[in-house]
Amino acid sequence: KYMMVTVYCGTTHGYVPRIITSIASNALTLDHALPSVPDNGAAVIASSKYTRANTGHLSMAFKVKRDDVLYTLLGCKCESAKISSINARGTAILETTWSVSDWNTTAAASLPATTLTGITAAKAPVIKGAPFAIAAVEELIHSMEFDFGAKFSFIDATNALGTDQADSANAGVEMVASEPGGSFKAYYAAGHMTVFAAGTEQALAIQSMGGSTGVAWGLYVPKMQTMLPTFEDHNGMLGEGIAFKVTD
C-alpha cells in the first residue's frame, strides 16, 4: 500500500506510474485510473517505499574534502529536508541541511571508493511524463516542492558520548516536531478556492517516469489540506500558488 507501480499500457502510453492505495488478494486499487486497459500479462514494475519514522533516528557522519584536507564530520543532525526543483523542465533535487557535533581531520586516510553501483549509479530523472492528481483527478501544474517538515533536537548531556567523542556535548538526536507540507503552482481554477474554504481533506499524488522504466519516483499524500491560493502571472497566463499541509 502506497508504493508506486509502473504498468505497461501498450505502445501508445508505454509505462505509466501510479500509486497503490489498497490491496485485496491479487487486486490492486490505484490512486487514479490508467489511460488505457493493460493487456493480460502486461508488465507491472514494483518500487521501494520510503515513509517517515517516528522513532529511532540516528545521526549521520560525512567525509568532506576541501582543497587537500579531508574532514570527517561526526554526530550530524538533520536541520531540514525537502524535495525541490519539481518543474516542467527540472530535475528533482533532495535538499538537506545539517548541524555538526564534532569534526576532525585525522579519522580517515582517504575518501570512500568513487565507483558508483546500483541506485547510486542512476541519474536523477528530468521531470516529464509526470501526472499530478488531487482527489484522483489529474490537474496541470508547472512546479512543486515538498518539505518533510521534521524538526530534530540534540540530546545534549554533560557526559554525552564520553571518550568516544570527547569534544561533543551531544549524545544523540530526537525528533521533536513534524509538520510536513509543500506547495504547487497550478493554473487558475475556481475549485481551488472552494476546496480551501470548505477545508476539504484530499489525496495528492505526483509520479514521474523520467523517460525510463528503471528510473522513476513518486510522492503520495493520503490526506492534505490546501491553504489560501494566491494569484500569479505565469508566462502571461493566470496561475495560482497553492500551499498545502499534510494531515496524513
Side-chain angles (χ1 to χ4, degrees):
K1 185 177 178 180
Y2 298 151
M3 290 177 70
M4 190 174 79
V5 290
T6 53
V7 182
Y8 187 69
C9 293
T11 56
T12 299
H13 298 102
Y15 284 90
V16 178
R18 291 291 186 267
I19 302 292
I20 299 170
T21 57
S22 68
I23 302 173
S25 184
N26 61 351
L28 305 181
T29 299
L30 305 179
D31 66 293
H32 65 290
L34 295 166
S36 63
V37 178
D39 293 333
N40 288 333
V44 178
I45 301 174
S47 68
S48 297
K49 182 183 72 170
Y50 297 88
T51 187
R52 187 196 68 189
N54 292 317
T55 60
H57 301 95
L58 303 175
S59 62
M60 293 281 286
F62 295 96
K63 298 185 188 301
V64 182
K65 190 170 187 179
R66 183 182 182 189
D67 297 327
D68 290 328
V69 181
L70 180 60
Y71 297 88
T72 301
L73 311 179
L74 300 171
C76 302
K77 170 173 71 78
C78 184
E79 295 290 353
S80 66
K82 66 180 181 179
I83 303 174
S84 63
S85 192
I86 304 172
N87 59 64
R89 295 178 178 85
T91 301
I93 300 295
L94 175 63
E95 293 185 34
T96 60
T97 58
W98 301 81
S99 290
V100 180
S101 291
D102 195 13
W103 60 275
N104 62 60
T105 60
T106 59
S110 63
L111 287 169
T114 56
T115 302
L116 302 180
T117 59
I119 192 170
T120 56
K123 294 182 179 179
V126 174
I127 309 301
K128 54 185 178 180
F132 174 86
I134 295 181
V137 178
E138 287 195 21
E139 181 173 350
L140 296 178
I141 64 166
H142 57 86
S143 69
M144 177 182 173
E145 70 173 25
F146 182 78
D147 191 331
F148 293 94
K151 180 182 178 182
F152 295 92
S153 292
F154 280 122
I155 302 172
D156 52 342
T158 54
N159 64 331
L161 300 182
T163 56
D164 290 343
Q165 224 169 301
D167 293 332
S168 175
N170 301 320
V173 296
E174 186 75 21
M175 187 170 75
V176 296
S178 180
E179 192 179 345
S183 63
F184 58 90
K185 294 185 181 295
Y187 298 91
Y188 171 76
H192 293 155
M193 179 59 77
T194 302
V195 169
F196 164 72
T200 305
E201 287 186 327
Q202 297 177 301
L204 176 149
I206 185 170
Q207 303 102 19
S208 177
M209 280 299 297
S212 169
T213 58
V215 181
W217 64 276
L219 170 71
Y220 187 71
V221 178
K223 293 182 181 179
M224 67 88 187
Q225 289 178 281
T226 59
M227 302 173 73
L228 181 65
T230 57
F231 290 129
E232 297 179 351
D233 181 326
H234 179 63
N235 297 332
M237 295 173 283
L238 182 57
E240 291 181 288
I242 302 174
F244 63 89
K245 291 294 185 181
V246 175
T247 54
D248 183 19

